[in-house]
Amino acid sequence: MTTTATPRPATGRAGGGDRGATRRRPSGRRHYGTHLFLVAMAVLWLVPLLWTLYTALRPKEVTDRYGYWSLHGPLNLENFATAWTQGGMATYFGNSAIITIPSVLLTLALASMMAFAVSRFSWKFNLTLLIMFTAGNMLPPQVLAAPLFEMFKHTPLPYSISASGSLLDTYYAVIAVEVAFQLGFCTFVLANYMKALPGELTEAALVDGAGVWRQYSRIILPLCRPALAALGTLEVIWLYNDFFWPLLFIHSGDQLPITTGIKNLQGQFLLDYNLIAAGATITVIPTLIVYLALQRHFVAGLTLGANKG
């Protein structure tokens, strides 16, 4: 008697694999709510900017006749040329560069050193120092305005350095305050990033005879380039747009940064909003250039660790 083996249906691992493949397929759901929210936020941010640019391109006579919320009249660049010459934009751009560039470089340099100390070494006061640096950002700047003003006023400097004979009415006062207030945030961000780096890197360097400075400058600092680029972009935007501290500490009109120089576009009896809009648009150009130049590093720094775990 002969028997014929009937093939069994493949319901084992292959079936499980098919079901697993089915489960791994994307569901195909469309996040309409998320997309609608993002579009609404983009419109909310873009409409004022675009309307400011549109106002800057319109002559004042046209807006006086038809109103600012109209679409009549020609468009030209006369307001930009007038704002550049009448407002002294070239001088104020230079003043902003004198304040912003050293402030950003000093902040990143000091913050990276402090972050290296509290993240790569275990000692008694590393957590305490990190908390102190971070807690400094909790104080509103206005609380310290009067004490800092009096302190700078009574800090003597040679007249060859300061025309006022004190730290007041100098770039040094603004730079020192900007660095002090931004140091805590940058230290906190860089310390968290450095803690994520493998500890074997510095241990291997220590075995090879590398000192602390070489570990910091040759090993850790190059690996922090994305984080430094992201922080550098943010710091340039924040310090360049700062209005409070320069207005408080600098009294000479020819030393004010660009954010306070826009006041020169205001008339004594009449406000030319078209001219002010043109001046405000001009002030945005440097920060826009910095962001576009560092956009790739900025996005990479913001998304660090997004794919971990």
Side-chain angles (χ1 to χ4, degrees), residues 233 236-237 286-296 298-299:
T233 305
V236 167
I237 295 174
T287 55
L288 186 61
I289 293 175
V290 170
Y291 174 75
L292 293 177
L294 300 176
Q295 181 181 12
R296 181 170 59 87
F298 178 72
V299 175

Side-chain angles (χ1 to χ4, degrees), residues 122-194:
S122 298
W123 52 300
K124 188 174 182 180
F125 299 104
N126 58 352
L127 183 59
T128 304
L129 282 176
L130 184 60
I131 293 175
M132 290 177 60
F133 271 88
T134 307
N137 290 333
M138 305 301 175
L139 288 175
Q142 293 79 6
V143 174
L144 300 177
L148 288 175
F149 185 88
E150 291 297 326
M151 183 178 67
F152 291 160
K153 183 179 179 180
H154 294 89
T155 302
L157 286 180
Y159 283 98
S160 58
I161 299 177
S162 171
S164 63
S166 65
L167 195 58
L168 203 63
D169 199 20
T170 62
Y171 296 125
Y172 306 110
V174 180
I175 293 173
V177 173
E178 299 285 13
V179 172
F181 272 90
Q182 299 298 325
L183 193 59
F185 170 74
C186 294
T187 300
F188 177 76
V189 174
L190 289 176
N192 288 329
Y193 177 73
M194 290 182 184

Side-chain angles (χ1 to χ4, degrees), residues 171-238:
Y171 296 125
Y172 306 110
V174 180
I175 293 173
V177 173
E178 299 285 13
V179 172
F181 272 90
Q182 299 298 325
L183 193 59
F185 170 74
C186 294
T187 300
F188 177 76
V189 174
L190 289 176
N192 288 329
Y193 177 73
M194 290 182 184
K195 287 179 181 179
L197 298 177
E200 291 79 5
L201 294 173
T202 51
E203 293 176 1
L206 183 62
V207 171
D208 292 338
V212 174
W213 177 256
R214 186 176 294 272
Q215 296 176 28
Y216 162 76
S217 60
R218 297 295 182 86
I219 299 175
I220 300 300
L221 200 60
L223 295 176
C224 296
R225 187 177 302 172
L228 290 173
L231 283 176
T233 305
L234 291 175
E235 291 299 319
V236 167
I237 295 174
W238 291 341

Side-chain angles (χ1 to χ4, degrees), residues 86-103:
Q86 179 178 329
M89 292 292 183
T91 301
Y92 294 117
F93 272 129
N95 296 339
S96 293
I98 293 175
I99 295 174
T100 304
I101 295 176
S103 299

Side-chain angles (χ1 to χ4, degrees), residues 57-95:
L57 292 172
R58 303 180 69 191
K60 186 178 185 300
E61 298 78 12
V62 176
T63 54
D64 289 341
R65 181 178 179 182
Y66 298 102
Y68 287 95
W69 299 99
S70 62
L71 300 177
H72 299 82
L75 303 178
N76 54 54
L77 299 176
E78 292 182 2
N79 289 324
F80 290 93
T82 305
W84 181 266
T85 55
Q86 179 178 329
M89 292 292 183
T91 301
Y92 294 117
F93 272 129
N95 296 339

